[in-house]
Amino acid sequence: MPPRSSLTIVLAAGEGTRMRSSSPKVLHPVAGQSLLAHVLGAAPGGAGDTLAVVIGPGEEAVADETKRLRPEAATYVQRDRLGTAHAVLAARQALARGADDVVVVFGDTPLISPGTFHRLREPLNKGAALAVLGFQAADPTGYGRLVVEANRLLAIREEADASADERAITLCNAGVMAFDGRKALAIIEKVGNANSKGEYYLSDAVAVVRDLGLEAVVIETSEDEVRGINTKAQLAEAEQVMQARLRKAALDAGVTMIAPDTVYLAADTSFGKDVTIEPFVVIGPGVSISDGAVIHSFSHIVQASIGKHASVGPYARLRPGTTLGDGARIGNFVETKAATLDAGVKVNHLSYIGDAHIGANANIGAGTITCNYDGFSKHKTEIGAGAFVGTNSSLVAPVRIGKGAYIGSGSVISRDVPDDALALERSEQTNREGGARRIRELKTRGKKPKGD
Ligand code: UD1
Ligand code: CA
């Protein structure tokens, strides 16, 4: 039998008022990715699987995030927020087009895994009209309760409408449902709004299915997979669950972390073999760490690629666009941004390297600053392979330091320095002495110093 096709409808139109934030709820991050990105990443995504996201009016940012992650997905706007069943009907066009299975998932449940979607769809293949994902809640407050009798799912009761007996039920609605695609539209259209909030509850699809004489079943999963996020406290709880998962996966993959609970990873962090991450490191999105690299304590890394056997920190900050070549060394209190450091480059102390390219094995002395911003725009600094930049130098971009050039300490370099040249701008006694040493050194190596 060919695999069943699916339509997944992600509900992301709620206002998220309980987050007390001006940005849409589903764009809040867990492990460096939006809630929506987690859900879209777990939803069925093979051939024959289509995707629709229901967003609130004026929430272009949610549409943009959808397009960025799953360009093929359709977005639908729910103009009035009249409840979860009403939200599903905003995607009526997609529903009418049909699919074997219709899966509805909330955009605020980021911990769900692809395997759970698969398990939830299985009963449809065996004739059920509806499968509801359920879980045992440690504290069921706020969740819809699953009313089950003799193994049959009869209804879902929302908290506001539940009797005292029903409120005592701990088996709850995770919010994820799979419908027989041939019946989904007819079922959801029959959901009414005769409840205390006057909303169209998707939860009531269960009672509709029963009234039609069809079968609804529960598939259970763990609470950690289906935590719904309504508040900042729940966002923090989800982060904890996700971090525990990511740390375990990293340890399983061979990463050494002696205090994993103090290391923060992103959902997309990638590791080579024999990577070591010391305590208290924060890794944001878009980071790859190659074989044998060591990240020392208190480093903060975002959108950076770290070469084999490179060493970072302690107390380093690698900002977006940083690429470290094999064996490169970034020491304490060094900040990098949009910087490519080729193999063997050393920036060991107290530096800012922004909008720069540094050739292989160059040595950047303590306190070196690339002055990349003139108050109007950003400019590039190019440092040739094997160059030596003395301590406390300011490199005023745009500027090019030639290969093998030597910059005396305390220099302010605002003009290009040729290959193998010696630059002693703002030279003071110490520079002269250092320069003289350099000239002697170059002569003993048979090189002719320029520009001295
Ligand atoms: C919902 C369920 C509840 C379940 C819980 C699990 C209903 C009525 N209740 O409650 O049974 O236990 O999730 O987390 O389904 N949304 C829209 N349009 C709307 C309303 C909501 O798109 O008009 C979206 C929201 O963006 C959110 C999702 O639907 O992603 C769920 O809405 P929310 O208000 O968070 O429902 P809960 O009260 O958590
Ligand atoms: Ca919710």
Side-chain angles (χ1 to χ4, degrees), residues 18 25 106 108 228-230:
R18 288 167 283 180
K25 174 161 79 172
F106 296 162
D108 66 355
I229 293 175
N230 301 324

PDB file of all heavy atoms in Angstrom, residues 18 25 106 108 228-230, ligand 2:
ATOM      1  N   ARG A  18      -1.126  35.779  27.529  1.00  0.00           N
ATOM      2  CA  ARG A  18      -0.507  35.385  28.793  1.00  0.00           C
ATOM      3  C   ARG A  18       1.021  35.453  28.741  1.00  0.00           C
ATOM      4  O   ARG A  18       1.691  35.379  29.768  1.00  0.00           O
ATOM      5  CB  ARG A  18      -0.964  33.969  29.188  1.00  0.00           C
ATOM      6  CG  ARG A  18      -2.414  33.922  29.660  1.00  0.00           C
ATOM      7  CD  ARG A  18      -2.948  32.510  29.747  1.00  0.00           C
ATOM      8  NE  ARG A  18      -3.291  31.967  28.434  1.00  0.00           N
ATOM      9  CZ  ARG A  18      -3.780  30.732  28.237  1.00  0.00           C
ATOM     10  NH1 ARG A  18      -3.941  29.914  29.264  1.00  0.00           N
ATOM     11  NH2 ARG A  18      -4.085  30.315  27.022  1.00  0.00           N
ATOM     12  N   LYS A  25       3.304  34.845  20.072  1.00  0.00           N
ATOM     13  CA  LYS A  25       3.740  33.756  20.957  1.00  0.00           C
ATOM     14  C   LYS A  25       4.616  32.733  20.253  1.00  0.00           C
ATOM     15  O   LYS A  25       5.667  32.338  20.777  1.00  0.00           O
ATOM     16  CB  LYS A  25       2.514  33.054  21.569  1.00  0.00           C
ATOM     17  CG  LYS A  25       2.880  31.823  22.375  1.00  0.00           C
ATOM     18  CD  LYS A  25       1.802  31.398  23.324  1.00  0.00           C
ATOM     19  CE  LYS A  25       0.697  30.645  22.647  1.00  0.00           C
ATOM     20  NZ  LYS A  25      -0.245  30.082  23.655  1.00  0.00           N
ATOM     21  N   PHE A 106      -1.005  22.453  17.653  1.00  0.00           N
ATOM     22  CA  PHE A 106      -0.890  23.837  18.094  1.00  0.00           C
ATOM     23  C   PHE A 106       0.549  24.309  17.910  1.00  0.00           C
ATOM     24  O   PHE A 106       1.490  23.556  18.147  1.00  0.00           O
ATOM     25  CB  PHE A 106      -1.283  23.970  19.571  1.00  0.00           C
ATOM     26  CG  PHE A 106      -2.729  23.633  19.829  1.00  0.00           C
ATOM     27  CD1 PHE A 106      -3.168  23.345  21.110  1.00  0.00           C
ATOM     28  CD2 PHE A 106      -3.655  23.624  18.800  1.00  0.00           C
ATOM     29  CE1 PHE A 106      -4.499  23.049  21.353  1.00  0.00           C
ATOM     30  CE2 PHE A 106      -4.995  23.331  19.028  1.00  0.00           C
ATOM     31  CZ  PHE A 106      -5.415  23.031  20.317  1.00  0.00           C
ATOM     32  N   ASP A 108       2.131  26.117  19.757  1.00  0.00           N
ATOM     33  CA  ASP A 108       2.804  26.398  21.035  1.00  0.00           C
ATOM     34  C   ASP A 108       3.220  25.133  21.783  1.00  0.00           C
ATOM     35  O   ASP A 108       3.412  25.159  22.979  1.00  0.00           O
ATOM     36  CB  ASP A 108       1.943  27.304  21.919  1.00  0.00           C
ATOM     37  CG  ASP A 108       0.642  26.651  22.382  1.00  0.00           C
ATOM     38  OD1 ASP A 108       0.349  25.519  21.939  1.00  0.00           O
ATOM     39  OD2 ASP A 108      -0.070  27.269  23.200  1.00  0.00           O
ATOM     40  N   GLY A 228       2.230  22.633  26.603  1.00  0.00           N
ATOM     41  CA  GLY A 228       1.777  23.776  25.823  1.00  0.00           C
ATOM     42  C   GLY A 228       2.315  25.031  26.492  1.00  0.00           C
ATOM     43  O   GLY A 228       2.380  25.114  27.708  1.00  0.00           O
ATOM     44  N   ILE A 229       2.730  25.991  25.676  1.00  0.00           N
ATOM     45  CA  ILE A 229       3.344  27.182  26.268  1.00  0.00           C
ATOM     46  C   ILE A 229       2.393  28.363  26.204  1.00  0.00           C
ATOM     47  O   ILE A 229       2.050  28.838  25.119  1.00  0.00           O
ATOM     48  CB  ILE A 229       4.667  27.481  25.560  1.00  0.00           C
ATOM     49  CG1 ILE A 229       5.608  26.328  25.909  1.00  0.00           C
ATOM     50  CG2 ILE A 229       5.239  28.811  26.012  1.00  0.00           C
ATOM     51  CD1 ILE A 229       6.895  26.352  25.244  1.00  0.00           C
ATOM     52  N   ASN A 230       1.947  28.793  27.356  1.00  0.00           N
ATOM     53  CA  ASN A 230       1.071  29.964  27.434  1.00  0.00           C
ATOM     54  C   ASN A 230       1.724  31.116  28.179  1.00  0.00           C
ATOM     55  O   ASN A 230       1.306  32.252  28.033  1.00  0.00           O
ATOM     56  CB  ASN A 230      -0.237  29.604  28.152  1.00  0.00           C
ATOM     57  CG  ASN A 230      -0.979  28.486  27.436  1.00  0.00           C
ATOM     58  OD1 ASN A 230      -0.974  28.417  26.212  1.00  0.00           O
ATOM     59  ND2 ASN A 230      -1.595  27.603  28.193  1.00  0.00           N
TER      60      ASN A 230
HETATM   61 CA    CA B   2      -1.921  26.587  24.821  1.00  0.00          CA
END
